Amino acid sequence: MSAGGGLARTPAPPYFAVIFTSKRAADDGRAYGVVAQRMVDLGSRYDGFLGIESARGDDGLGITVSYWRDEASLLAWKRDTEHEKAQRGGREAWYDAYEVRVAKVERAYGFARDAAG
Amino acid sequence: MSAGGGLARTPAPPYFAVIFTSKRAADDGRAYGVVAQRMVDLGSRYDGFLGIESARGDDGLGITVSYWRDEASLLAWKRDTEHEKAQRGGREAWYDAYEVRVAKVERAYGFARDAAG
């Protein structure tokens, strides 16, 4: 469930982050993986999408953070018909629990090792 | 690198989130694991700490989100002497790249499966 599998290249703040933390339920995982990747592909085509980062550990806890230009764009994606169907699937089968937090990114800083170093 | 390994139980917004996304460098990982757990233990004792969630996938990408009552508390932790030393270790050895985003959580909602269901 990643779009490239690395750090998102976001612009200078302010912008919005949707922090989606989830605990997977016991499941065969095949349908989940297909739908999760489809949601990344579909969401990233929405106007205002800035990037996505995703990680899931061996304990089943996953964190996906998607970044958005403004609230209107993240709300449009939330209400996407296919995304709403996936959200129902999440509640009915794939997750034991999840939390969604909508946050405004106020500042950001980072580090990247010199490739020549 | 988790404090319980589950979803954080945060209060009603507003509160702050520090989204720390990192790409691990090749490393034996032993010192890293000890320091990472120590940082969780130490940070969670700071006034204003509300919770932490952490996941790292097989591709080396990790996301840790810590939650804070206000900016003063997250800044106090950022400037902790032992934490600053760990941040240097991160740049010198443990990470190829990371990004820190400080965000204000404006709303939150979640789902938890009925344990009796």
Side-chain angles (χ1 to χ4, degrees):
Chain A
M1 191 177 175
S2 67
L7 279 69
R9 294 188 170 199
T10 41
Y15 52 86
F16 282 80
V18 179
I19 307 165
F20 175 68
T21 310
S22 62
K23 193 84 180 174
R24 281 290 308 278
D27 185 71
D28 77 354
R30 284 171 297 178
Y32 173 79
V34 171
V35 173
Q37 187 56 51
R38 167 79 179 152
M39 290 303 108
V40 171
D41 297 344
L42 198 61
S44 63
R45 292 204 295 265
Y46 260 73
D47 182 52
F49 173 87
L50 298 177
I52 190 166
E53 295 166 339
S54 195
R56 186 173 300 280
D58 296 333
D59 61 353
L61 188 80
I63 304 175
T64 297
V65 190
S66 58
Y67 300 101
W68 301 87
R69 187 184 58 217
D70 48 35
E71 290 219 67
S73 54
L74 71 88
L75 286 173
W77 164 238
K78 179 175 190 281
R79 293 166 185 156
D80 174 277
T81 306
E82 193 173 337
H83 188 200
E84 285 189 332
K85 188 179 164 194
Q87 291 170 50
R88 280 196 298 278
R91 288 187 293 271
E92 288 167 6
W94 298 318
Y95 299 122
D96 278 339
Y98 65 73
E99 188 77 13
V100 179
R101 294 176 177 97
V102 179
K104 185 177 188 179
V105 178
E106 299 184 341
R107 57 183 190 277
Y109 55 94
F111 158 82
R113 194 172 303 286
D114 185 346
Chain B
M1 190 177 174
S2 66
L7 278 69
R9 294 188 172 201
T10 40
Y15 52 86
F16 282 80
V18 179
I19 306 164
F20 175 68
T21 310
S22 62
K23 194 84 180 173
R24 283 290 307 279
D27 183 73
D28 76 355
R30 284 170 298 178
Y32 173 79
V34 171
V35 173
Q37 186 56 51
R38 168 79 178 149
M39 290 304 108
V40 171
D41 296 344
L42 199 60
S44 63
R45 291 205 294 265
Y46 260 73
D47 181 52
F49 173 87
L50 298 178
I52 190 166
E53 295 166 340
S54 195
R56 186 172 299 280
D58 296 333
D59 61 354
L61 187 80
I63 304 175
T64 297
V65 190
S66 59
Y67 300 101
W68 300 88
R69 186 185 58 217
D70 48 36
E71 290 218 69
S73 54
L74 71 89
L75 287 172
W77 165 238
K78 178 174 191 278
R79 292 165 185 156
D80 175 276
T81 307
E82 193 172 338
H83 188 200
E84 285 188 333
K85 189 180 165 194
Q87 292 170 48
R88 280 196 299 278
R91 287 187 293 270
E92 288 167 6
W94 298 318
Y95 300 123
D96 278 338
Y98 65 72
E99 188 78 13
V100 179
R101 295 177 177 97
V102 180
K104 186 176 187 178
V105 178
E106 299 184 340
R107 58 182 190 278
Y109 56 93
F111 159 82
R113 193 171 303 285
D114 185 347

